[in-house]
Amino acid sequence: SGTTDNLRQSARQVVVLGSGRDTTYLRYRFGKDSMLADDDNKVRWYEVDHPSVIIQKAHTLLPRCIPEGYGHTCDSNEETGNSYAVTIAPLQKN
Protein backbone atom coordinates (compact mmCIF):
# COMPACT_ATOMS: atom_id res chain seq x y z
CA SER A 1 0.00 0.00 0.00
CA GLY A 2 1.00 3.63 -0.41
CA THR A 3 1.40 4.21 3.33
CA THR A 4 3.70 1.21 3.75
CA ASP A 5 5.82 2.30 0.77
CA ASN A 6 6.12 5.82 2.21
CA LEU A 7 7.26 4.45 5.56
CA ARG A 8 9.91 2.28 3.91
CA GLN A 9 11.27 5.29 2.01
CA SER A 10 11.13 7.72 4.94
CA ALA A 11 14.12 8.63 7.06
CA ARG A 12 15.08 6.39 9.96
CA GLN A 13 16.79 7.42 13.15
CA VAL A 14 18.93 5.75 15.75
CA VAL A 15 19.20 7.24 19.24
CA VAL A 16 21.95 5.92 21.51
CA LEU A 17 21.38 6.97 25.13
CA GLY A 18 24.46 6.97 27.33
CA SER A 19 26.62 6.44 24.24
CA GLY A 20 29.95 6.82 26.04
CA ARG A 21 32.75 5.45 23.86
CA ASP A 22 30.41 3.42 21.69
CA THR A 23 31.53 3.43 18.04
CA THR A 24 28.50 1.80 16.42
CA TYR A 25 27.83 4.83 14.23
CA LEU A 26 31.41 4.97 13.01
CA ARG A 27 31.43 1.24 12.20
CA TYR A 28 28.08 1.63 10.43
CA ARG A 29 29.22 4.57 8.34
CA PHE A 30 32.88 3.79 7.69
CA GLY A 31 33.70 0.28 8.89
CA LYS A 32 32.78 -3.29 8.24
CA ASP A 33 29.12 -2.69 9.12
CA SER A 34 28.88 -0.08 6.35
CA MET A 35 27.84 -2.94 4.06
CA LEU A 36 24.58 -2.99 5.99
CA ALA A 37 23.86 0.66 5.22
CA ASP A 38 21.70 0.87 2.12
CA ASP A 39 21.68 4.68 2.17
CA ASP A 40 23.51 6.70 4.85
CA ASN A 41 21.37 9.73 4.08
CA LYS A 42 18.23 7.92 5.23
CA VAL A 43 19.53 7.22 8.75
CA ARG A 44 19.97 10.04 11.28
CA TRP A 45 22.13 9.16 14.28
CA TYR A 46 21.91 10.83 17.70
CA GLU A 47 24.26 9.99 20.53
CA VAL A 48 23.22 11.34 23.91
CA ASP A 49 25.53 11.53 26.91
CA HIS A 50 26.95 13.93 29.48
CA PRO A 51 28.63 16.92 27.75
CA SER A 52 32.05 16.03 29.17
CA VAL A 53 31.81 12.55 27.62
CA ILE A 54 30.82 13.98 24.23
CA ILE A 55 33.73 16.44 24.32
CA GLN A 56 36.20 13.72 25.29
CA LYS A 57 34.94 11.43 22.54
CA ALA A 58 35.18 14.20 19.95
CA HIS A 59 38.72 15.13 20.88
CA THR A 60 40.28 11.73 21.55
CA LEU A 61 38.32 8.97 19.82
CA LEU A 62 37.00 10.54 16.62
CA PRO A 63 40.34 11.66 15.17
CA ARG A 64 41.50 8.03 15.28
CA CYS A 65 38.26 6.54 13.95
CA ILE A 66 37.20 8.64 11.00
CA PRO A 67 38.88 7.90 7.67
CA GLU A 68 41.26 10.14 5.79
CA GLY A 69 39.41 12.82 3.88
CA TYR A 70 36.89 13.46 6.68
CA GLY A 71 36.93 15.95 9.51
CA HIS A 72 34.82 16.66 12.55
CA THR A 73 33.63 19.62 14.58
CA CYS A 74 32.39 19.81 18.15
CA ASP A 75 30.23 22.87 18.68
CA SER A 76 28.52 23.96 21.89
CA ASN A 77 25.04 25.41 22.21
CA GLU A 78 25.81 29.03 22.98
CA GLU A 79 22.48 29.62 24.74
CA THR A 80 22.75 26.85 27.30
CA GLY A 81 26.44 26.03 27.18
CA ASN A 82 25.71 22.47 28.25
CA SER A 83 24.96 20.70 24.98
CA TYR A 84 27.25 19.85 22.10
CA ALA A 85 26.82 18.80 18.50
CA VAL A 86 29.48 16.74 16.76
CA THR A 87 29.45 16.75 12.98
CA ILE A 88 31.46 14.44 10.71
CA ALA A 89 31.76 15.48 7.08
CA PRO A 90 34.06 15.14 4.07
CA LEU A 91 36.82 17.76 4.01
CA GLN A 92 36.50 20.45 1.39
CA LYS A 93 38.96 20.06 -1.47
CA ASN A 94 41.08 23.15 -2.15
Side-chain angles (χ1 to χ4, degrees), residues 4-94:
T4 303
D5 291 339
N6 288 341
L7 288 173
R8 285 187 185 134
Q9 294 176 1
S10 66
R12 294 173 286 160
Q13 65 182 8
V14 176
V15 179
V16 183
L17 300 175
S19 59
R21 292 188 176 123
D22 181 77
T23 59
T24 302
Y25 166 72
L26 298 169
R27 289 189 318 244
Y28 175 84
R29 182 160 179 199
F30 303 117
K32 65 178 182 175
D33 295 340
S34 64
M35 295 180 290
L36 303 175
D38 57 354
D39 185 356
D40 285 338
N41 295 322
K42 290 185 180 181
V43 179
R44 301 275 306 190
W45 287 77
Y46 300 93
E47 294 188 351
V48 180
D49 210 318
H50 190 275
S52 65
V53 175
I54 298 296
I55 293 169
Q56 181 184 22
K57 185 175 186 176
H59 292 293
T60 59
L61 188 60
L62 288 182
R64 293 181 289 168
C65 292
I66 57 177
E68 188 174 326
Y70 283 82
H72 74 282
T73 60
C74 182
D75 300 313
S76 67
N77 180 330
E78 293 181 15
E79 287 183 26
T80 63
N82 64 356
S83 62
Y84 292 83
V86 177
T87 305
I88 300 171
L91 296 173
Q92 298 292 327
K93 295 182 181 181
N94 295 332

